[in-house]
Amino acid sequence: MAKHESIKAVPTAKDFRGSVSPDWCPGCGDFGVLRALEMACAKLGRENHDYLTIGGIGCSSNLPGYINTYGMHTLHGRTLPIATGAKLGNHDLTVIVTGGDGDGYGIGGNHFVHTMRRNVDLLYVVMNNQIYGLTIGQASPTSRMGMKTKSTPFGNVEAPLNPVAMAIIAGATYVARGFSGDTRHITELMYQGMEHKGFALVDIFSPCITFNKDNTFPFFKQRVKKLEEIGHDPSDMQAAIEQGMVWGDEIPVGLFYQDTSRAPLDELEPVLGEGGPIAHRELGITKEQGDAIIKRMM
Ligand SMILES: Cc1ncc(C[n+]2csc(CCOP(=O)(O)OP(=O)(O)O)c2C)c(N)n1
Ligand code: SF4
Ligand SMILES: [Mg+2]
């Protein structure tokens, strides 16, 4: 069965625009990510109810409230286990997780590693602004050494983690990076990430114009270099890690790594093999038994 067999109509990006306007600071990089995600969903061609968008806590994690799909606003750092449960509960859904560098690489770091190891079929979009935006400007796991923030007034003494290299090593089967100033490029990266069967990370430089005065739009505009233009082969794991380690006057963006040989978790789980998504199956218990369980849990 084709991955997206339930396609019925061809929606436009406008169909994915939510009814609530984002309360992000005017000029925040997250606006570009939201617009690109709307376009990527339209390009994939599924209907609104075929998508579930899940966020944690943070400016970036508020995105599910602004896009017209099913959505969940969950706990700080806990999006990935919730997304895993949702995907296994209804593996016909296109599951998208959105969040920040603090949410995903800090408090949620353990889940990040294990969700990639399991190759859960979802798109994970991290708006990496190298700062805690919502809590007004503390250092995050991707803040550079020496960076002055509210929590590091004398300069950050911790080394940043490298999400791209980490994702490749941990078992993600689609690893990409983009810049929110290039909406067309990130639309394509996110679209391909949803098409991919398995865990797809799209780490996006999404400047926090209010609290990060180092990693700004001009900073990235001057440095980003598309991997497509330098002839990188995304099936070459070693080359992908090497490119992932590059950080300087040029910073690579694009598709670093893709492995299409590994099946995603939902295809390997025997219980899901026959009978369609669990969410659509009969419960196999009587109404009385169901009522008793609900009563006990209330
Ligand atoms: C368990 C828990 N710890 C801490 C917080 C406080 N908190 C809320 S958002 C956040 C960090 C947000 O940073 P990031 O994920 O990078 O998102 P951004 O706002 O930068 O988009 C923190 C520490 C919380 N809400 N819950
Ligand atoms: S604080 Fe930073 S990340 Fe949050 S909305 Fe404002 S610019 Fe964006
Ligand atoms: Mg952040």
Side-chain angles (χ1 to χ4, degrees):
M1 174 172 136
K3 190 177 173 194
H4 301 301
E5 213 170 64
S6 61
I7 291 170
K8 288 190 183 106
V10 184
T12 66
K14 223 171 154 198
D15 296 319
F16 288 94
R17 186 137 317 160
S19 53
V20 176
S21 295
D23 64 355
W24 294 319
C25 310
C28 174
D30 296 354
F31 282 100
V33 179
L34 174 61
R35 291 291 163 263
L37 187 57
E38 290 166 359
M39 290 192 274
C41 289
K43 185 168 179 184
L44 194 67
R46 302 196 80 195
E47 294 185 75
N48 302 64
H49 60 251
D50 292 321
Y51 297 89
L52 168 64
T53 313
I54 303 175
I57 302 294
C59 298
S60 43
S61 288
N62 287 340
L63 189 147
Y66 311 135
I67 192 162
N68 185 16
T69 66
Y70 281 123
M72 285 176 86
H73 197 185
T74 67
L75 299 172
H76 193 35
R78 308 296 168 218
T79 47
L80 290 174
I82 291 165
T84 301
K87 183 71 190 181
L88 296 183
N90 183 354
H91 61 273
D92 194 34
L93 284 173
T94 295
V95 179
I96 302 163
V97 179
T98 67
D101 38 314
D103 189 81
Y105 304 149
I107 190 169
N110 179 35
H111 301 308
F112 181 50
V113 171
H114 291 286
T115 314
M116 294 189 288
R117 175 178 68 80
R118 295 180 177 126
N119 197 26
V120 182
D121 182 24
L122 49 88
L123 170 68
Y124 187 30
V125 178
V126 179
M127 281 153 266
N128 183 357
N129 54 14
Q130 294 138 292
I131 199 97
Y132 289 175
L134 188 76
T135 47
I136 60 170
Q138 298 81 9
S140 89
T142 53
S143 301
R144 71 164 175 85
M145 278 187 99
M147 185 170 160
K148 289 191 178 171
T149 70
K150 290 245 176 79
S151 60
T152 58
F154 306 112
N156 184 20
V157 293
E158 297 178 7
L161 66 73
N162 181 326
V164 167
M166 197 171 158
I168 298 167
I169 302 278
T173 47
Y174 179 100
V175 181
R177 180 163 66 197
F179 167 43
S180 116
D182 187 345
T183 5
R184 195 179 294 187
H185 191 225
I186 56 174
T187 299
E188 194 55 31
L189 294 174
M190 289 193 280
Y191 161 72
Q192 282 178 22
M194 286 190 281
E195 276 283 65
H196 175 79
K197 288 188 183 192
F199 188 98
L201 170 71
V202 184
D203 179 84
I204 302 180
F205 299 130
S206 180
C208 169
I209 56 147
T210 308
F211 297 111
N212 188 336
K213 304 297 179 193
D214 284 30
N215 308 110
T216 58
F217 276 99
F219 174 92
F220 288 113
K221 243 178 218 149
Q222 284 158 21
R223 289 171 174 80
V224 289
K225 178 103 188 148
K226 287 189 182 134
L227 287 166
E228 301 91 282
E229 289 164 11
I230 59 169
H232 170 69
D233 173 9
S235 69
D236 183 338
M237 184 189 256
Q238 195 164 333
I241 295 169
E242 277 166 20
Q243 287 297 338
M245 301 298 288
V246 174
W247 187 275
D249 291 342
E250 287 191 352
I251 301 174
V253 289
L255 178 59
F256 287 79
Y257 182 64
Q258 186 166 23
D259 176 2
T260 52
S261 68
R262 263 186 74 201
L265 187 68
D266 58 285
E267 283 185 13
L268 295 172
E269 177 53 61
V271 175
L272 303 182
E274 282 171 23
I278 288 176
H280 298 161
R281 295 185 202 175
E282 291 295 325
L283 266 182
I285 55 174
T286 64
K287 184 178 179 316
E288 289 70 34
Q289 286 169 321
D291 289 347
I293 291 169
I294 290 167
K295 199 172 165 199
R296 212 166 56 229
M297 293 171 85
M298 297 295 268

